[in-house]
Amino acid sequence: MTTAASMPVLDKGLANTIAAESAMSFIDGQNGILEYVGIDIDALARNSTFEEVVYLLWHRKLPTRGELDAFASGIRAEYDLPEVMWDVIKTIPTSAAPMHALRTLVSALALSDPEADDPSPAANERKGVRLLAKAPALIANFDRHRKGRDFIKPDSSLSIASAFLTMLNGQEPTETMAKALDVCLILHADHGFNASTFAALVTISTLSDMYSAVTTAIGTLKGPLHGGANEAVMHMLTEIGQMDRVEPYIREKLDRKERVMGFGHRVYKAYDPRASYLKTFAERLAEDTGNRELYEMSRRIDQIMHEAVAAKGIHPNVDFYSATTYYSIGLDIDLFTPMFVMSRIGGWVGHCIEQLADNKLIRPRCEYIGPHEAAYVPIEGR
Ligand code: COA
């Protein structure tokens, strides 16, 4: 018998559904607050490192010096790829989009991990470390492969951000560039039950495995309404091209009721706190790298959007200023979303571990609106 309390409610997009409990990130969309395990995102972006933030998300506390050193060296020890993966990278067409390549490569990591189907919490954390540690080598070396360059192995004396940029560019990054990427990794690491995290949880809740969960999440993150928005922002800035075209371009877009990429958020109806930090950071980076014009164009778009739609609760989201940040550190546009993956693996794995500690199969229902008692007509008679 269905009681009133257990009566399912139609909630398209699940915006009003709380599907589980989590102690990782807290979002107050009305007031523009984001905390990881209670710590304000601004304090983390200013003072922490990506490795420390992942420890915080997975262990729900800041590490001591000894704990952080052990955690970071555990990650560094896993930077290198299994031998077969270098051959797998070579089999991917050089024309493939990096997100398709990355989804395939992360899935392929499972093939040579003897622990792939070990469901124990310790094995799951080890797989989380491997995924986090190996993603930079996969992304950077796929990029080298498509550009006809030789592979570069990861340098285990470097942080995740520096090791990635060194593989990508063949030289160690400046401190400013490594810090810029590290900040972006911190800001993207977790964000409640966003679409890709939810997708990962649906997969892990069937007691599948960590590689499958992260592969699912990558496919979900790829869409332009989610992680793909940062690439769309950069394409928009490139299309606009120069400052005097900003205003007509944005106004025409709004008149046609089209979406301006990098604005709006399902949860934030105030300024996204990640965008607030990145806005200041992107300005400093633009000064340092001489990309001031792009930054000024972004500021102008922000102003026009503020006048036009802020009253509707539409503000820049994290993707808006991360696009110019990534561009300033010299990343190709189609590598922006893979940067999001590199970071969000921290969140996905943490949520999967949390889900498995108190697992319940995630299986919502739909409201059937099709016909009933329809006749089966043989194919000749249709
Ligand atoms: N530009 C212009 N108008 C926008 C907008 C944008 N980026 N985002 C939302 N709106 C408008 C919608 O047109 C709608 O207007 P209406 O009520 O007059 O029809 C209203 O705001 C609500 O939009 P809705 O799509 O219902 O909100 P949502 O919570 O489902 O959507 C997003 C959230 C993120 C999907 C949406 O804001 C969006 O498409 N943004 C652009 C893509 C992006 O930057 N994604 C990254 C998210 S981190």
Side-chain angles (χ1 to χ4, degrees):
M1 193 182 79
T2 311
T3 62
S6 67
M7 201 69 159
V9 174
L10 179 63
D11 179 17
K12 276 194 184 173
L14 305 182
N16 298 305
T17 298
I18 294 177
E21 293 171 321
S22 172
M24 287 172 60
S25 50
F26 168 76
I27 307 165
D28 177 345
Q30 294 305 327
N31 296 304
I33 294 170
L34 170 62
E35 296 169 345
Y36 291 167
V37 195
I39 304 176
D40 192 78
I41 193 66
D42 194 76
L44 290 167
R46 281 175 207 282
N47 305 307
S48 190
T49 60
F50 177 55
E51 286 81 349
E52 182 177 65
V53 159
V54 175
Y55 184 99
L56 171 69
L57 291 169
W58 291 7
H59 297 274
R60 320 283 189 275
K61 70 174 194 81
L62 286 172
T64 61
R65 163 67 50 207
E67 286 166 338
L68 180 58
D69 288 349
F71 187 65
S73 46
I75 295 171
R76 290 175 188 205
E78 289 286 354
Y79 275 172
D80 205 356
L81 301 176
E83 216 38 54
V84 66
M85 287 305 297
W86 299 101
D87 295 330
V88 176
I89 295 176
K90 286 187 200 149
T91 65
I92 298 192
T94 51
S95 58
M99 280 300 283
H100 285 294
L102 183 56
R103 189 193 56 239
T104 304
L105 292 169
V106 163
S107 177
L109 281 177
L111 306 177
S112 47
D113 187 340
E115 290 193 313
D117 283 315
D118 182 339
S120 67
N124 275 334
E125 181 160 344
R126 284 195 291 275
K127 283 177 274 183
V129 165
R130 280 175 208 135
L131 281 156
L132 194 72
K134 294 183 196 309
L138 294 177
I139 300 165
N141 282 293
F142 169 70
D143 189 64
R144 299 191 70 80
H145 161 65
R146 68 176 173 159
K147 290 177 175 158
R149 298 178 180 154
D150 290 339
F151 289 147
I152 295 184
K153 291 224 170 204
D155 180 342
S156 59
S157 70
L158 300 175
S159 68
I160 291 178
S162 292
F164 168 74
L165 289 170
T166 304
M167 285 183 277
L168 188 77
N169 300 322
Q171 59 185 51
E172 262 193 56
T174 62
E175 218 172 284
T176 313
M177 287 187 181
K179 175 68 188 158
L181 181 57
D182 199 58
V183 163
C184 287
L185 296 178
I186 291 172
L187 296 177
H188 287 84
D190 193 38
H191 209 234
F193 264 33
N194 55 85
S196 57
T197 298
F198 186 65
L201 293 180
V202 171
T203 299
I204 207 76
S205 83
T206 69
L207 301 183
S208 181
D209 69 286
M210 199 61 88
Y211 290 102
S212 298
V214 171
T215 305
T216 307
I218 295 173
T220 309
L221 185 79
K222 179 175 163 291
L225 296 189
H226 190 6
N230 54 17
E231 298 188 10
V233 169
M234 201 58 230
H235 286 302
M236 176 178 77
L237 286 168
T238 314
E239 202 183 321
I240 297 174
Q242 57 195 61
M243 192 54 136
D244 59 359
R245 294 206 48 227
V246 168
E247 182 143 7
Y249 181 97
I250 297 296
R251 299 231 183 265
E252 278 164 30
K253 231 176 167 39
L254 290 174
D255 288 347
R256 287 195 302 266
K257 299 234 169 287
E258 284 173 18
R259 279 159 198 241
V260 178
M261 288 293 134
F263 284 81
H265 198 276
R266 175 58 64 80
V267 182
Y268 292 118
K269 300 304 167 195
Y271 214 99
D272 181 337
R274 302 165 300 173
S276 305
Y277 183 78
L278 268 185
K279 183 173 169 175
T280 325
F281 194 84
E283 181 172 21
R284 238 187 307 145
L285 195 64
E287 297 272 351
D288 283 5
T289 56
N291 278 311
R292 183 105 211 148
E293 190 175 2
L294 267 184
Y295 175 75
E296 294 296 352
M297 278 165 56
S298 308
R299 283 297 302 270
R300 185 73 193 112
I301 296 174
D302 194 348
Q303 262 171 6
I304 298 167
M305 288 295 282
H306 182 79
E307 289 154 19
V309 292
K312 280 168 79 177
I314 300 166
H315 302 275
N317 55 50
V318 67
D319 293 308
F320 189 62
Y321 286 104
S322 63
T324 33
T325 305
Y326 288 145
Y327 190 80
S328 296
I329 57 177
L331 294 179
D332 288 349
I333 298 177
D334 59 4
L335 292 180
F336 291 7
T337 315
M339 293 304 92
F340 202 154
V341 172
M342 222 160 88
S343 163
R344 190 54 67 83
I345 286 174
W348 294 329
V349 168
H351 281 281
C352 286
I353 291 172
E354 212 175 31
Q355 173 74 23
L356 288 172
D358 181 25
N359 191 48
K360 187 165 175 69
L361 176 72
I362 299 173
R363 203 294 188 195
R365 289 157 67 169
C366 68
E367 191 167 296
Y368 176 71
I369 54 164
H372 289 284
E373 297 178 12
Y376 177 82
V377 181
I379 197 158
E380 303 76 25
R382 289 175 210 162

